[in-house]
Amino acid sequence: MTQQDKLISPAPTTDFSPWAEQDQEPLVQFRNVTKRFGSFVAVDNVSLNIYQREFFALLGPSGCGKTTLMRMLAGFETPTSGEIIVDGKNIVDVAPDKRPINMMFQSYALFPHMTVEQNVAFGLHRSGGPAKSEIEDRTNRMLKLVQLEPFAKRKPNQLSGGQKQRVALARALARSPKILLLDEPLAALDKKLREQTQFELMNIQEELGLTFLIVTHDQQEAMTVSSRIGVMRAGQLQQIGTPGEVYEYPQTGFVADFIGDTSLFEIEIVGQEGDFTVAKWNGAEAPVYLRALDDNPVDPAAKFLSVRPEKVTVSREQPTDAPNAFKGKVVDIAYTGSQSVYHVELSPGVTIKALDTNRLRLVASSITWNDEVWVSWRARSGVVFQS
Ligand code: ATP
């Protein structure tokens, strides 16, 4: 079965990293972890494995519990129930500074009166810690890694936001943690710097061979940096998978909508025509066709259909070769320079989004507001789910 073939039914959630060896033990295991604040359940019976050298992203809307889950791993919160196993040991009762884990905070929390190198070396000066020469050595290595050697003698107020972020990263890495936790690490940076820093983070993670766990509500960031993503909603993990899996095979309408852009429709499966499953839907009077496959049939109980904008073609002429082709009216166009997203009304109040990359300058198609157009997509381009 090819990846394409699996499009119509959700992929099973495999809590296993494609980066891990078959018999590899997870480095981190959350086992049925729940956290309550009074009667409020912030994290609800979460089980998750994270493997060595993974860059794992916890993604979800504000308040879904992702920071609380991370803080329990760091030791700043204690689970109400459940176990957190690191390297085979339950660490729930281990003090934060005794865990092989370091956390980089969103605020960076740099000491304003210390220089860059003093900030980086700060966590290394402790009784039983490394010798002075080793501290100097490690500090220099970290400054080199984040390309801040020329700024070693500056104070934080003499640095840009991106440079401060790199000092905080160097300081968090200097103690050689096995696991680095990053809480919205790039939130303070502008878009360009954010994108550049995402690649730097990936390179550093790969170079040091560490395990990174990042918390973010930015789906683009999670997709770019991570090897796997856990999508959270209301304290629960809705889906775990590689960026490609959660994007192409979302298991719920929430995941489909949260990861990327999509159009969601209500459907009712009504029959079968050869290889195609036929569904009534709220987009048009004509049915919508879904592609069934012998080993991965369309779920007969499916109630929702998701179609990504880039899978939908918009045209003036009626397409002759697409099983799903519907007439509609352009009610909105979002032009972003590199692409245009057309909002096409199919029936009163029901629209579908179609993305067109602006390969030719000046919107070659010249499709505009109120135009009558056709939208079409392949039967396999739809993904269905029950909720
Ligand atoms: P954000 O992206 O906004 O940081 P989040 O997904 O990281 O959100 P959490 O910080 O984990 O969310 O919070 C989850 C829920 O738990 C929220 O509703 C929050 O108000 C609540 N919560 C977090 N910490 C406490 C606390 N110490 N006492 C009471 N409620 C808390």
Side-chain angles (χ1 to χ4, degrees):
M1 187 167 59
T2 66
Q3 288 290 78
Q4 178 70 13
D5 291 340
K6 290 196 293 185
L7 266 177
I8 208 69
S9 285
T13 288
T14 49
D15 193 4
F16 189 76
S17 164
W19 276 256
E21 303 287 330
Q22 277 304 321
D23 54 355
Q24 191 182 328
E25 277 290 304
L27 179 61
V28 178
Q29 298 173 61
F30 291 93
R31 290 189 187 161
N32 305 104
V33 172
T34 291
K35 177 68 186 177
R36 291 176 203 274
F37 295 107
S39 61
F40 179 75
V41 183
V43 172
D44 189 1
N45 196 26
V46 164
S47 292
L48 166 69
N49 291 336
I50 300 174
Y51 293 83
Q52 207 155 6
R53 302 175 82 98
E54 268 210 280
F55 201 140
F56 194 95
L58 282 172
L59 177 68
S62 185
C64 70
K66 52 196 187 302
T67 306
T68 305
L69 192 62
M70 177 184 263
R71 286 172 60 81
M72 287 192 279
L73 179 56
F76 303 133
E77 299 286 358
T78 309
T80 309
S81 59
E83 291 182 323
I84 302 176
I85 315 285
V86 174
D87 246 354
K89 284 188 223 100
N90 189 352
I91 56 155
V92 163
D93 295 324
V94 177
D97 63 328
K98 299 280 183 293
R99 299 184 183 197
I101 295 168
N102 217 346
M103 183 153 172
M104 189 183 128
F105 295 94
Q106 194 176 342
S107 61
Y108 309 151
L110 301 178
F111 298 110
H113 60 287
M114 289 187 189
T115 63
V116 165
E117 62 185 0
Q118 287 167 339
N119 263 288
V120 173
F122 178 76
L124 302 174
H125 294 288
R126 60 184 194 281
S127 64
K132 194 163 172 263
S133 60
E134 165 69 11
I135 291 178
E136 273 174 24
D137 205 45
R138 234 194 266 181
T139 303
N140 290 335
R141 255 189 293 139
M142 288 305 126
L143 288 176
K144 193 167 171 199
L145 187 73
V146 298
Q147 298 168 13
L148 276 182
E149 284 167 303
F151 301 91
K153 304 289 178 207
R154 287 203 193 174
K155 299 266 176 69
N157 65 1
Q158 297 169 309
L159 300 175
S160 71
Q163 290 161 344
K164 282 184 202 157
Q165 187 271 341
R166 283 189 273 149
V167 179
L169 180 63
R171 187 178 61 183
L173 289 170
R175 287 183 66 175
S176 309
K178 273 193 179 162
I179 306 161
L180 182 67
L181 309 181
L182 303 136
D183 184 8
E184 302 272 2
L186 312 180
L189 308 184
D190 66 44
K191 187 170 178 290
K192 268 249 147 67
L193 190 56
R194 207 180 157 99
E195 284 168 6
Q196 183 192 327
T197 315
Q198 285 167 3
F199 287 107
E200 283 173 10
L201 268 184
M202 289 157 71
N203 290 340
I204 288 171
Q205 187 258 347
E206 211 174 296
E207 196 175 322
L208 298 178
L210 298 179
T211 304
F212 279 20
L213 174 62
I214 188 172
V215 155
T216 178
H217 59 260
D218 179 340
Q219 58 96 13
Q220 184 272 337
E221 184 163 290
M223 300 277 286
T224 305
V225 300
S226 63
S227 51
R228 282 192 308 153
I229 296 174
V231 185
M232 286 190 75
R233 182 191 197 187
Q236 296 182 338
L237 265 174
Q238 286 241 320
Q239 191 169 345
I240 304 164
T242 63
E245 281 168 353
V246 289
Y247 186 82
E248 298 289 354
Y249 319 118
Q251 293 176 339
T252 63
F254 172 81
V255 174
D257 202 32
F258 196 75
I259 304 265
D261 204 2
T262 196
S263 304
L264 285 172
F265 303 98
E266 288 172 27
I267 58 163
E268 185 192 336
I269 309 266
V270 290
Q272 192 73 24
E273 280 180 28
D275 286 342
F276 295 106
T277 299
V278 188
K280 282 203 289 190
W281 67 314
N282 59 344
E285 275 179 24
V288 67
Y289 290 95
L290 311 162
R291 185 72 200 260
L293 294 151
D294 289 339
D295 55 352
N296 212 16
V298 174
D299 179 357
K303 298 240 171 338
F304 297 95
L305 164 70
S306 152
V307 190
R308 299 273 187 211
E310 72 276 13
K311 320 268 192 223
V312 181
T313 304
V314 62
S315 58
R316 287 195 177 281
E317 308 301 325
Q318 180 172 8
T320 52
D321 55 348
N324 293 309
F326 303 95
K327 216 170 175 182
K329 187 169 90 173
V330 177
V331 289
D332 235 328
I333 304 173
Y335 174 73
T336 61
S338 62
Q339 61 195 36
S340 298
V341 178
Y342 298 91
H343 294 228
V344 177
E345 189 174 60
L346 297 169
S347 61
V350 178
T351 58
I352 189 166
K353 287 176 251 181
L355 184 148
D356 192 29
T357 52
N358 299 326
R359 267 189 233 108
L360 300 173
R361 226 182 318 167
L362 287 179
V363 196
S365 67
S366 75
I367 289 172
T368 188
W369 277 265
N370 293 324
D371 280 0
E372 297 269 322
V373 291
W374 286 88
V375 286
S376 57
W377 66 93
R378 299 170 51 157
R380 284 177 176 168
S381 294
V383 183
V384 298
F385 15 71
Q386 293 184 16
S387 62

